Amino acid sequence: MLRITALARHTTALLGVVSLMLSLQPGTSIAQSVLTQHNDLSRSGANPNETILTTSNVNESSFGRLFSLSIDGFTYAQPLYDRGVSISGGTHNVLYVATAHDSVYAFDADSGAEYWHVSLGTPVPSSVINTQNILVEVGIISTPVIDSSTGTLYVVAKTYESKVQIFRLHALDIDTGAEKFGGPVEIAASVSGSGQQSSGGQVPFVASQENQRAAVTLVNGIVYLAFASHEDYSPYHGWLLGYKASNLQQVQVYNVTPNSGEGAIWMGGQGLLADSSNNLYLISANSTQTSENAAGDYGESFLKLVPSGTTLSVADYFKPNDYDRLNANDTDLGSTGAFAIPGTSYIAGGSKSGMLYVVDTNNMGKLNTSSDQVVQEFQADNGLWGSPAFFNNTMYIWGVNEPLKAYQFSGGHFNTSPSSQSAYSTPGGTTSGSVSVSSNGTTAGTAIVWATAPTADPDHSTVGGNMYAYDATNLGTLLWSTAQNSSRDSYGSYAKFVAPTIADGKVYVGTDSEQVAVYGLLPGGGCTATVITPYLQVNGAAWQQVASATVASGSTVNLGPQPLTGGSWSWTGPNGFNSTSRQINSIPLSSGTNTYIAAYTNPCGSKSTQTFAVTVTGGSGSLIPNGTFVITSVHSGQAIDDPGFSTKSGQDMQQYTVNNGTNQQWNVTNLGNNVITITNVASGQLLEVTGASKANSALVDQMPANGKSNQEWNVISVGAGAFELTNVNSGQALDVDGGGTTVGEAIDQYPYQGTSWQKWIFTRH
């Protein structure tokens, strides 16, 4: 059977080897640190020792965001958690966070206090690499690993020094952040071969072509670092380098494709597997030639590597017989890492095509050109990225444009029909949900699947995200999500492939919003309502502490209570107006009395409210005041755009990435009763329905003002600061054609359906 080496805490004896057949008895549990990506070297993603969180108390009333930890960059690394660390003169539970800004932080995992923060250099600007998969900067991208027996955190940072890209391996003291063991060391290597980048029979490691995405792995005193490419930019190779943990000396080097190229090892950010003989298991992606196995190259393969002195040799492998097709379609293996199946010698992993393979580590099947010689393969999802989780004979995966699914493992195979699945599906694109599991052994009512998922395709862009908690025994039962009370619980932008970390009653979520969000059971008792002090500003004058005001038509009004932090805000107002910011600026006013209600929920969950009344006199008000605005689609985030700054009458409008050019600026003029005209600043022409058509999907163009109703738009608030624009002539809503998110999609009209591509945000320019 496959046996997985366990990591030990520095406050206890070295645990040595733990069999995958080991399981906790119902009702028994011990506290557990999370010292490596996805919890353990079987990459289960499961914490079976969680005694606090249950299916009964994880709900909107009892569970939510407690606080957030501020960091200096995006985090593509899973936060790590160590219990009982001797730090800052005491013993504390500590959360370790690494950022793409090349920083590492140590926070008190319970209070959020910062113990230390170290900078490991200047990260490489993403523009230098020309990568949009990792936005802004490339610094620390992989999840570090902690050796608690020595109190050391191992982490790889990419830095930009005199316009040169350099990788370094650092060994940091977990108590102080100080460098240890003579570190850091610059990463360099070469192997014999005739492949890409070779010279004189040697293939060198070229840092500028490599991406250290797979989690750092610690096995038998060796720190292993795996490398892949940035967006398949050739030339590159898949490298695996081993460094002695005690002195950071390089002891092992392996190149997947020494006689060709590619062969990336990235595995959606997951680390390697290891068995009790210290054999290593990984999945490689991509390849460049059909004869690679004969040449000693192993792209598109499950690999079993045997450490021997200064080398890592291939003991066995499996390659799908259709690997050429996988290469050609960019649906290669290795978009997920492998995970071990307890009680067996099997490992499993998947591909961008959504195929899941179960491989016997005692006989992996190699390459068979007619049929794959594996235990099982089946279409599990549309596409598999990141790390599946495995707990209690169940695999949990969340693929592309699919619901979260549970597959039962029984009789040596997976049942190929999901035993349960979620109601919510991820969006299309190139990523899937990131999954972890917590439970108190196999005690009923304690198993929870935690997953983060994007709200849109995060490939080449930063998008919002949500976290979900499901009953692990039935994914049709949603216990809680950040969307239920987003004003309190939202964590901001989704971080690709970063699984939640669950420990001691708290859930830690890395984000692309320069913060780590911390969730847990909300405090109960001892909380009193918070008094909200109202302030109001009219036409840019000084703020006044008043709860009501009378203003003239056309006034600009801002509302904002005193700064109160640590809780969450929500606003409600006329015509469905709502907002989640503390202060609202330039609010749209209708004639008569506009009553706005501010609600503040303090960290203990107690809500207070305050009413603001603004009365408009001297004429009709409007939901959108006169002025210049950029108008963006709620669905795509793109702006209504006059293509190429055209001054042509009849030019059709499109959506396009916001750039604030004058062709994306529109002058709003109120005609009364919330009817407006919208004039393009660049062309001076009005937004209208082509030819005054009343047909579904008639295009929207620009024409000189003619006073006709097809150039007039009725404004209707639809909440969250968004508006429907209904053409006065046709009665149909302004719409992105087909609900597309592609740059250049046409703008048309269609009967209002309440979809996000019929909702528009006006941002004053």
Side-chain angles (χ1 to χ4, degrees):
M1 93 188 52
L2 185 68
R3 294 159 64 88
I4 299 300
T5 307
L7 296 170
R9 286 192 28 72
H10 61 287
T11 55
T12 62
L14 187 64
L15 295 178
V17 174
V18 177
S19 167
L20 282 176
M21 293 188 70
L22 177 65
S23 61
L24 295 173
Q25 296 301 312
T28 65
S29 182
I30 56 175
Q32 177 172 302
S33 296
V34 181
L35 307 178
T36 190
Q37 185 268 343
H38 240 202
N39 294 72
D40 49 51
L41 285 175
S42 68
R43 306 300 174 190
S44 69
N47 178 358
N49 306 300
E50 173 52 55
T51 62
I52 298 174
L53 302 176
T54 69
T55 57
S56 297
N57 60 27
V58 174
N59 55 61
E60 184 181 355
S61 299
S62 303
F63 183 87
R65 181 161 60 89
L66 302 176
F67 53 89
S68 294
L69 307 172
S70 295
I71 54 179
D72 61 8
F74 293 179
T75 177
Y76 296 93
Q78 181 179 344
L80 300 179
Y81 177 93
D82 200 3
R83 303 185 76 255
V85 178
S86 297
I87 191 171
S88 190
T91 301
H92 303 274
N93 301 326
V94 181
L95 192 78
Y96 297 91
V97 180
T99 77
H101 195 62
D102 274 336
S103 288
V104 180
Y105 294 81
F107 294 102
D108 189 294
D110 300 309
S111 70
E114 182 181 309
Y115 291 126
W116 54 258
H117 163 215
V118 295
S119 174
L120 304 184
T122 301
V124 183
S126 297
S127 59
V128 170
I129 302 173
N130 192 27
T131 178
Q132 296 183 59
N133 278 333
I134 300 174
L135 294 171
V136 184
E137 56 194 357
V138 179
I140 301 169
I141 304 302
S142 70
T143 301
V145 67
I146 294 174
D147 183 356
S148 277
S149 66
T150 64
T152 309
L153 180 146
Y154 298 93
V155 62
V156 175
K158 194 171 196 179
T159 55
Y160 199 46
E161 304 171 30
S162 300
K163 297 186 177 180
V164 176
Q165 299 179 42
I166 296 174
F167 283 106
R168 287 189 175 89
L169 172 61
H170 299 257
L172 304 181
D173 189 305
I174 64 173
D175 298 337
T176 66
E179 298 277 0
K180 299 177 65 174
F181 307 139
V185 295
E186 184 174 345
I187 294 171
S190 65
V191 296
S192 298
S194 58
Q196 293 178 350
Q197 302 169 295
S198 64
S199 177
Q202 291 290 306
V203 179
F205 176 88
V206 181
S208 62
Q209 297 299 112
E210 301 292 330
N211 180 19
Q212 208 282 295
R213 186 67 185 92
V216 180
T217 300
L218 177 63
V219 177
N220 193 35
I222 306 295
V223 179
Y224 288 100
L225 316 176
F227 293 85
S229 71
H230 286 285
E231 305 198 39
D232 295 339
Y233 292 152
S234 288
Y236 68 89
H237 294 268
W239 291 86
L240 183 62
L241 308 179
Y243 291 80
K244 196 168 183 179
S246 60
N247 59 17
L248 304 187
Q249 296 302 300
Q250 188 180 93
V251 292
Q252 293 163 357
V253 177
Y254 176 72
N255 185 307
V256 176
T257 54
N259 298 307
S260 57
E262 304 186 4
I265 308 170
W266 74 286
M267 301 188 296
Q270 185 167 296
L272 281 66
L273 298 179
D275 63 23
S276 57
S277 298
N278 302 319
N279 298 314
L280 306 174
Y281 300 88
L282 60 85
I283 308 177
S284 66
N286 307 99
S287 57
T288 58
Q289 62 182 56
T290 58
S291 60
E292 63 218 50
N293 285 316
D297 292 356
Y298 294 93
E300 298 282 12
S301 300
F302 283 68
L303 294 176
K304 178 179 183 178
L305 299 178
V306 177
S308 178
T310 60
T311 65
L312 287 161
S313 58
V314 176
D316 203 354
Y317 73 94
F318 161 66
K319 180 190 296 292
N321 69 81
D322 62 344
Y323 67 93
D324 272 339
R325 182 184 64 82
L326 299 180
N327 280 324
N329 296 334
D330 192 28
T331 53
D332 38 280
L333 283 178
S335 53
T336 68
F339 63 91
I341 300 177
T344 73
S345 55
Y346 301 162
I347 60 175
S351 69
K352 294 178 184 177
S353 68
M355 188 69 70
L356 187 92
Y357 303 87
V358 181
V359 178
D360 188 342
T361 59
N362 292 327
N363 181 10
M364 297 180 72
K366 297 184 172 59
L367 172 63
N368 187 297
T369 57
S370 59
S371 63
D372 294 336
Q373 304 299 298
V374 293
V375 175
Q376 186 181 15
E377 61 182 53
F378 68 98
Q379 191 73 40
D381 240 315
N382 286 332
L384 297 174
W385 306 72
S387 302
F390 192 90
F391 170 75
N392 198 25
N393 289 318
T394 307
M395 173 181 66
Y396 299 95
I397 60 172
W398 206 344
V400 175
N401 200 22
E402 291 271 11
L404 173 65
K405 297 178 182 178
Y407 287 96
Q408 295 293 316
F409 185 82
S410 178
H413 291 80
F414 282 103
N415 186 326
T416 58
S417 296
S419 57
S420 65
Q421 61 186 40
S422 67
Y424 175 75
S425 294
T426 58
T430 57
T431 193
S432 49
S434 301
V435 186
S436 296
V437 182
S438 68
S439 74
N440 182 7
T442 56
T443 302
T446 66
I448 299 172
V449 176
W450 304 88
T452 57
T455 57
D457 181 9
D459 189 33
H460 294 190
S461 62
T462 300
V463 302
N466 285 309
M467 182 167 68
Y468 302 85
Y470 292 96
D471 186 330
T473 63
N474 180 5
L475 298 180
T477 302
L478 175 65
L479 305 172
W480 169 91
S481 82
T482 52
Q484 291 174 339
N485 189 343
S486 60
S487 61
R488 180 190 69 193
D489 295 336
S490 173
Y491 62 71
S493 298
Y494 174 75
K496 291 187 292 187
F497 315 128
V498 182
T501 297
I502 306 98
D504 290 327
K506 292 185 176 64
V507 183
Y508 304 90
V509 181
T511 75
D512 281 358
S513 296
E514 298 191 350
Q515 66 177 352
V516 173
V518 183
Y519 298 86
L521 298 180
L522 298 170
C527 293
T528 58
T530 303
V531 176
I532 302 175
T533 303
Y535 284 85
L536 182 142
Q537 182 186 53
V538 180
N539 294 330
W543 286 85
Q544 298 182 23
Q545 186 178 344
V546 295
S548 63
T550 299
V551 301
S553 175
S555 296
T556 298
V557 175
N558 301 326
L559 296 177
Q562 66 184 14
L564 295 171
T565 60
S568 58
W569 289 96
S570 64
W571 285 84
T572 56
N575 300 297
F577 174 86
N578 64 75
S579 172
T580 58
S581 62
R582 187 187 68 80
Q583 177 179 311
I584 54 176
N585 298 318
S586 301
I587 58 174
L589 298 174
S590 298
S591 58
T593 300
N594 299 260
T595 301
Y596 296 88
I597 300 174
Y600 172 73
T601 303
N602 66 24
C604 294
S606 178
K607 181 180 287 188
S608 304
T609 60
Q610 175 68 49
T611 299
F612 295 75
V614 184
T615 302
V616 177
T617 63
S620 298
S622 64
L623 285 172
I624 302 173
N626 293 343
T628 303
F629 298 85
V630 174
I631 308 171
T632 54
S633 165
V634 170
H635 181 64
S636 69
Q638 297 182 44
I640 301 177
D641 178 282
D642 169 19
F645 296 81
S646 174
T647 58
K648 172 186 173 184
S649 298
Q651 173 66 55
D652 293 332
M653 297 296 101
Q654 64 177 5
Q655 68 174 4
Y656 199 84
T657 305
V658 176
N659 57 35
N660 293 308
T662 55
N663 64 324
Q664 293 185 350
Q665 298 174 28
W666 300 86
N667 288 328
V668 170
T669 302
N670 278 275
L671 304 180
N673 297 318
N674 287 312
V675 174
I676 63 175
T677 59
I678 305 172
T679 306
N680 188 264
V681 171
S683 69
Q685 298 189 37
L686 273 64
L687 193 73
E688 65 155 33
V689 176
T690 301
S693 173
K694 296 184 179 182
N696 293 357
S697 302
L699 294 178
V700 169
D701 64 6
Q702 64 179 8
M703 286 289 286
N706 57 26
K708 295 181 179 179
S709 60
N710 67 316
Q711 294 185 338
E712 298 174 355
W713 302 88
N714 188 44
V715 180
I716 302 170
S717 175
V718 291
F723 301 92
E724 173 199 347
L725 298 175
T726 301
N727 190 260
V728 172
N729 176 63
S730 67
Q732 297 196 33
L734 190 69
D735 176 283
V736 178
D737 185 33
T741 58
T742 305
V743 167
E745 293 280 6
I747 306 298
D748 63 3
Q749 68 175 5
Y750 202 79
Y752 185 67
Q753 308 291 316
T755 57
S756 57
W757 52 90
Q758 294 180 329
K759 298 177 181 179
W760 303 91
I761 299 292
F762 284 68
T763 303
R764 188 181 291 274
H765 190 270

